[in-house]
Amino acid sequence: MKKLFIVESPAKAKTIGKYLGGNFVVKSSVGHVRDLPKKGGLAIKISPVAGAENAWSFTPTYEVSDEKKTVVADLRKAAKAASEIYLAPDPDREGEAIAWHLNEVLAKEAKGKPVHRVTYNEITKAAVLKAVETPGVIDFKRVEAQQARRILDRLVGFQVSPLLWKYLDYGRFLSAGRVQTAALRILVEREQEIRAFKPVTYWLLGVEARKAGTKGPAFRGRLARLDGAKPDVKDEALARDVMDDLAGAALSVAGVKTQPKTRHAYPPFTTSTLQQAASSVCGFSPHRTMSLAQKLYEQGLITYMRTDSVNVAAVARAAAADLIASTWGAAFVPEKPNFFKSKSGAQEAHEAIRPTDVTRRPGDVAGLDASMAKLYELIWRRFVASQMADAQLEVKTVEMTPVKDALRHAYSFTASTTSVAFEGWLKAMPGATARKKTDGDDESDEVDALPPLAAGDALDVLQWLSDRKETKPPARFSEAALVKALEENGVGRPSTYAQTIEVLVTRQYASRESRQLVPTQRGEDVCNWLVKAPDTFFNVGYTADMEAELDKVEAGAVKGEEMLSRFYANLIDWIGKHREPPPPPEKFLGALALFDAVSAWHPARVEGKREYDDRKFVGSVRDQLSVRPEALSERQLRFLARMAWTYRDQIPDCAARLAALGFADEVKDPRDDATCAFCFDVLDRAGGTADDKFLSSLRGQFERNRTLSAKQLAALVRATLERGSAQPDADAIRERLREYAPADIEARVDDPVLGEMLGLFAGFTGWKAPVKRGRRTFDDREFAESLRSQFAQKHSLTARQAAALKRLAWSYREEIPAFAENAGRFGLSAPAKKSVARRAKGGLKRKS
């Protein structure tokens, strides 16, 4: 009989199967085999603990999902035929839980047979064989922590999400999540900061000079001291006074200071830092980074990619030292190995992300596509650099003072340059710079080069400089920046960062715009409702505390049910604060009385498994009012008011009676119905609404004679303008919807040649390498792909996107075969040259 070895993914099974030989059968569970049911309720039995206050037991009910029944049947068959069973899912909480679920599912077939738990941090033959030789058992504390996390998330999703459905006008597409909502709050609060930001004007003062008597290169210095203090010029009058004071002054070198500086290597990657670096250097989203890393891991090229540890195995450090010495020389190997400290709470049993074999250089690995190769090189270089000697730098600073009789102020100007005395780890990371970038770089005195200077040297003043600036609002979060914020705030775990962002985008709580995450109106409404109560359940600190509690459960310091009970007590309290008091019964009686005159009800409508029947709904509210009036909500009352308006032809004085009940805002202009019908007609001509659940829900609401809210109507109009911009009557559509159009919607260009212009790049392979500017990476290929994707969906581009596409096409005019014959038809010509002031953006400007 053979031994059964079960891993999570088919790709991993294929790789490990080559290592274990003919005595083993390697199978894949394809992820989790059991979970809480997707339908049918909470599936967690919550029972009060007798004699204890605020204490409950939580008993989940798991099931094998339909899509996994074939997989489980195959595993049971293999387990029955096996002599031993090795459970080898990933070495983290989720992997431990999968191993436990497999143990439960295969209990009958495994009865009387040895069942082992094996783990490894890399898929190499040596690591896998060592794991088989030294098997362990399932870590039930880690399983308890995973189960507690699953129950936490289930409680939030099932008990909070219905409140959103009840109180917000977005239907049943809304959801709340323990980590998801904390991440959304970070985005929304940053957006609120940006809106509230008021720029402050200030002036940066400086000088452009050259060594006297030479024709050497000019350099610029910043005003470092004004009357002995750091300059803080926020008044134009003071800036002009300084410029007038300096007019005609000479300049001399007051001193030259040279200072050595050491730059230590960065630690090897964790999940978070890999996602951030891959976004900055390669332009990859966190989700794509993790997908590529998973493939590299399954092919045995890197260690496990979900980790918050920067530990490195001794054998890997030794191998790196050998490679560094043989490649660059012994001087590049540090006297003592580099050790890095993981952040608090990191799982120290794991390693950092590194190559499994450091001698496998990036160019030597076959079978990788371009993206996988790019990520592997990033990981390889970061790891090698982390094991190298420090870089030794030299910072030279020149202090300059103006010379003039009767100066009204005392001035000190400085200019600095950084040179590399010994490259150290920079040798392995050619993209890294000797000087760290900071948020205040535009105010730095750093220059590219300085001439040889000594104290007392005279300088020729080419111009005194005054640069008017404004403080900038905080930047929106990129995906990488949000990952960093989540990690810094202790929200989520390495395995959840990428998925959390995908959920925010999929739920339409945030959108990706110019490589930034921007909260949508829906996202802001959800966030604002969830955090409106004081001491909110969804503050970032509380979410981080829950992560720390889960770590304690895994360590055995806290029982899972104790932690869950404290959480559940807080959840009950939060829900109580957020339940709005029911409207007075008299209002419901008044609203229900409107329907006494209705004799011809709208036909019932079935959508999926749900039936919408006005008569039954009114009857159910009447029943609820007589039995449990405290359970009725403001939303139900408003829904009755909207429904009544659809029967206005049968209800005498409907508008006046609704206004008397406080629902004058539901008495809609009949033009709104005509506008909705117009929008859906345009959307049908543009491809329909089946691809968008939200638009489909609005259509269903409209066809059931439900009046759309102002926000819903605005969303419908926005979608219509975007999708209808490629229609022949686009101008007429815009004119028809002008009074309904959201103020912030950007005009779109529906020029038919845009599609043909994008076609110039079909199959194009001559792309330039991505360029990094500051913290951003510009990748022409990915930008063209994003434009092609948007054009395919909306049949148009924004005016800025269309202009950017033309600039892109012009920049590749030499490489595109069909460019010359199409340039005139596409309106392609050389972009206008930027002004001198524009080219020097961020630099100093000439005094007027």
Side-chain angles (χ1 to χ4, degrees):
M1 297 175 71
K2 293 187 177 183
K3 301 172 184 179
L4 176 61
F5 194 94
I6 306 176
V7 296
E8 284 184 46
S9 75
K12 196 187 303 182
K14 184 177 179 181
T15 302
I16 291 176
K18 299 174 184 177
Y19 301 152
L20 292 178
N23 291 330
F24 283 83
V25 172
V26 183
K27 293 281 186 180
S28 165
S29 68
V30 197
H32 281 274
V33 292
R34 292 197 314 176
D35 198 0
L36 298 172
K38 293 181 180 178
K39 298 180 180 179
L42 187 62
I44 300 170
K45 183 180 179 182
I46 304 174
S47 305
V49 176
E53 185 178 356
N54 286 339
W56 295 267
S57 65
F58 302 83
T59 308
T61 299
Y62 295 108
E63 69 173 17
V64 177
S65 59
D66 290 341
E67 61 267 24
K68 287 299 177 70
K69 286 181 178 177
T70 302
V71 173
V72 169
D74 183 50
L75 291 175
R76 282 174 171 159
K77 183 179 178 181
K80 188 175 182 179
S83 59
E84 290 183 61
I85 300 172
Y86 291 81
L87 305 175
D90 289 339
D92 57 11
R93 245 182 235 162
E94 291 299 314
E96 207 69 28
I98 291 173
W100 176 71
H101 282 296
L102 285 168
N103 191 51
E104 293 289 302
V105 167
L106 303 177
K108 181 179 177 182
E109 290 77 12
K111 188 174 182 180
K113 300 175 183 179
V115 178
H116 310 289
R117 171 71 169 125
V118 293
T119 59
Y120 37 81
N121 283 318
E122 58 186 61
I123 304 176
T124 60
K125 186 173 183 178
V128 172
L129 292 180
K130 183 179 179 181
V132 172
E133 291 169 4
T134 57
V137 296
I138 293 173
D139 184 343
F140 287 101
K141 291 177 182 176
R142 182 174 277 186
V143 173
E144 185 181 11
Q146 189 278 341
Q147 183 166 270
R149 183 202 62 77
R150 188 71 184 91
I151 292 173
L152 286 178
D153 293 342
R154 187 78 162 195
L155 289 172
V156 172
F158 270 68
Q159 300 205 13
V160 177
S161 296
L163 296 178
L164 296 175
W165 307 341
K166 184 176 182 179
Y167 295 120
L168 296 179
D169 288 329
Y170 290 100
R172 298 173 71 88
F173 304 106
L174 303 181
S175 73
R178 185 177 56 88
V179 175
Q180 160 196 320
T181 302
L184 176 61
R185 183 172 186 175
I186 290 173
L187 290 182
V188 170
E189 289 182 348
R190 174 60 59 86
E191 194 70 17
Q192 291 168 347
E193 283 183 63
I194 293 171
R195 288 196 195 118
F197 180 80
K198 296 187 184 305
V200 175
T201 302
Y202 66 101
W203 279 259
L204 291 177
L205 307 177
V207 62
E208 185 176 7
R210 176 188 294 132
K211 189 173 182 179
T214 72
K215 294 184 178 181
F219 62 92
R220 290 178 172 181
R222 296 280 190 190
L223 178 62
R225 286 287 183 270
L226 176 61
D227 293 327
K230 183 179 179 180
D232 184 19
V233 183
K234 296 180 179 177
D235 179 73
E236 185 173 7
L238 176 58
R240 290 185 180 278
D241 176 58
V242 169
M243 289 293 100
D244 291 341
D245 194 24
L246 290 170
L251 193 67
S252 69
V253 176
V256 178
K257 182 173 66 175
T258 301
Q259 186 175 5
K261 190 174 182 180
T262 298
R263 273 200 67 188
H264 303 297
Y266 294 110
F269 283 129
T270 61
T271 302
S272 168
T273 55
L274 175 63
Q275 291 175 0
Q276 293 168 50
S279 175
S280 175
V281 176
C282 308
F284 297 158
S285 70
H287 187 267
R288 187 179 182 198
T289 297
M290 293 311 292
S291 175
L292 294 170
Q294 178 82 34
K295 293 176 182 177
L296 293 174
Y297 170 65
E298 289 174 349
Q299 292 184 28
L301 294 173
I302 64 170
T303 54
Y304 191 54
M305 65 286 161
R306 294 186 182 92
T307 177
D308 50 8
S309 170
V310 291
N311 285 349
V312 174
V315 64
R317 281 200 302 271
D322 290 343
L323 177 129
I324 293 164
S326 63
T327 305
W328 295 292
F332 287 84
V333 180
E335 292 183 10
K336 294 181 179 179
N338 294 337
F339 290 92
F340 302 93
K341 186 178 180 181
S342 298
K343 72 180 185 67
S344 175
Q347 299 182 36
E348 295 295 339
H350 288 178
E351 276 197 73
I353 303 170
R354 62 168 176 81
T356 55
D357 181 357
V358 74
T359 64
R360 199 154 35 194
R361 298 168 186 263
D364 299 337
V365 182
L368 301 183
D369 63 31
S371 296
M372 290 174 67
K374 193 181 293 186
L375 189 66
Y376 179 76
E377 180 174 3
L378 186 69
I379 294 168
W380 186 90
R381 290 190 179 280
R382 176 73 167 239
F383 170 65
V384 171
S386 76
Q387 304 304 306
M388 294 178 71
D390 295 336
Q392 302 299 329
L393 312 176
E394 191 174 80
V395 180
K396 180 190 289 186
T397 301
V398 175
E399 183 182 3
M400 299 161 284
T401 54
V403 179
K404 179 183 175 182
D405 292 335
L407 281 171
R408 295 189 295 273
H409 301 283
Y411 306 94
S412 174
F413 294 84
T414 61
S416 298
T417 184
T418 301
S419 59
V420 179
F422 174 69
E423 285 181 285
W425 63 271
L426 293 172
K427 197 78 171 177
M429 294 182 67
T433 58
R435 186 174 61 90
K436 282 187 177 180
K437 297 287 185 181
T438 66
D439 291 338
D441 265 3
D442 64 333
E443 300 178 28
S444 168
D445 69 351
E446 186 84 13
V447 296
D448 291 334
L450 286 170
L453 294 171
D457 284 351
L459 300 170
D460 290 334
V461 176
L462 303 182
Q463 58 180 320
W464 298 106
L465 303 161
S466 177
D467 188 8
R468 182 184 184 277
K469 285 183 168 287
E470 287 186 344
T471 55
K472 297 178 181 178
R476 286 174 171 147
F477 286 98
S478 65
E479 293 186 48
L482 181 58
V483 166
K484 184 178 181 181
L486 293 175
E487 183 186 41
E488 289 176 345
N489 286 283
V491 177
R493 300 296 295 173
S495 58
T496 65
Y497 300 145
Q499 183 58 31
T500 297
I501 292 173
E502 290 305 309
V503 169
L504 292 178
V505 174
T506 301
R507 292 283 180 185
Q508 298 179 21
Y509 291 170
S511 60
R512 293 182 173 102
E513 298 179 18
S514 301
R515 293 171 59 85
Q516 294 177 321
L517 289 169
V518 182
T520 62
Q521 186 61 53
R522 180 190 298 193
E524 292 198 44
D525 290 345
V526 168
C527 179
N528 292 336
W529 191 88
L530 288 172
V531 304
K532 66 181 179 180
D535 300 321
T536 177
F537 184 74
F538 287 106
N539 71 57
V540 172
Y542 184 75
T543 306
D545 290 343
M546 286 298 98
E547 295 295 340
E549 288 290 296
L550 289 170
D551 289 341
K552 291 178 182 177
V553 173
E554 182 172 336
V558 174
K559 292 289 184 183
E561 291 203 337
E562 291 178 12
M563 188 271 275
L564 285 171
S565 291
R566 289 195 293 272
F567 173 88
Y568 190 58
N570 286 331
L571 178 61
I572 292 172
D573 179 64
W574 183 90
I575 289 173
K577 290 178 180 177
H578 274 68
R579 278 206 173 101
E580 299 177 2
E586 295 76 20
K587 279 208 167 188
F588 275 98
L589 290 171
L592 291 168
L594 294 169
F595 294 94
D596 292 342
V598 175
S599 58
W601 294 90
H602 299 315
R605 178 186 176 87
V606 176
E607 289 186 8
K609 296 182 179 180
R610 299 189 65 188
E611 181 184 42
Y612 298 90
D613 188 309
D614 291 353
R615 188 172 190 173
K616 286 183 179 179
F617 177 75
V618 171
S620 70
V621 174
R622 289 187 195 276
D623 294 342
Q624 198 172 354
L625 182 62
S626 63
V627 178
R628 290 187 63 211
E630 71 279 0
L632 291 168
S633 69
E634 177 70 26
R635 188 167 182 264
Q636 286 172 300
L637 181 60
R638 188 166 290 277
F639 197 76
L640 283 174
R642 291 176 185 168
M643 183 187 293
W645 184 244
T646 69
Y647 290 94
R648 57 189 177 274
D649 293 340
Q650 301 181 55
I651 299 173
D653 301 320
C654 184
R657 293 168 70 181
L658 283 172
L661 288 169
F663 292 110
D665 57 329
E666 297 300 339
V667 180
K668 298 291 183 182
D669 189 325
R671 291 180 302 166
D672 288 356
D673 285 344
T675 299
C676 289
F678 176 81
C679 287
F680 287 119
D681 176 65
V682 172
L683 290 171
D684 285 340
R685 287 190 281 129
T689 59
D691 63 335
D692 190 303
K693 289 184 178 180
F694 181 60
L695 292 177
S696 296
S697 75
L698 294 186
R699 180 191 289 276
Q701 188 173 326
F702 175 70
E703 291 178 351
R704 293 194 303 274
N705 294 308
R706 303 285 188 266
T707 304
L708 302 189
S709 68
K711 287 181 180 178
Q712 290 174 324
L713 182 58
L716 176 63
V717 169
R718 179 188 293 274
T720 304
L721 289 170
E722 289 180 347
R723 298 191 180 199
S725 60
Q727 297 299 307
D729 57 341
D731 290 339
I733 293 171
R734 282 193 290 270
E735 183 62 31
R736 169 69 175 78
L737 299 176
R738 182 184 299 278
E739 65 176 296
Y740 297 92
D744 63 339
I745 192 165
E746 187 175 354
R748 300 188 70 85
V749 177
D750 53 9
D751 189 338
V753 302
L754 290 177
E756 297 179 51
M757 202 183 310
L758 285 165
L760 292 175
F761 295 105
F764 184 68
T765 58
W767 297 105
K768 298 171 185 174
V771 176
K772 186 176 179 182
R773 294 174 187 160
R775 297 184 178 182
R776 297 184 62 188
T777 299
F778 296 84
D779 189 319
D780 290 348
R781 181 186 64 80
E782 290 199 355
F783 178 64
E785 286 297 324
S786 72
L787 293 183
R788 186 181 291 116
S789 174
Q790 290 188 51
F791 190 81
Q793 180 184 9
K794 299 179 179 179
H795 309 293
S796 63
L797 298 175
T798 66
R800 284 181 292 180
Q801 289 172 329
L805 174 60
K806 290 185 177 183
R807 289 196 298 272
L808 183 68
W810 180 262
S811 69
Y812 284 95
R813 60 190 180 279
E814 302 295 337
E815 292 85 357
I816 298 174
F819 184 87
E821 54 266 37
N822 286 296
R825 187 163 60 88
F826 292 163
L828 298 175
S829 58
K833 291 184 178 180
K834 296 178 181 178
S835 66
V836 173
R838 178 71 174 168
R839 287 199 306 271
K841 185 179 180 183
L844 296 169
K845 297 174 187 171
R846 184 182 301 273
K847 175 180 178 261
S848 59

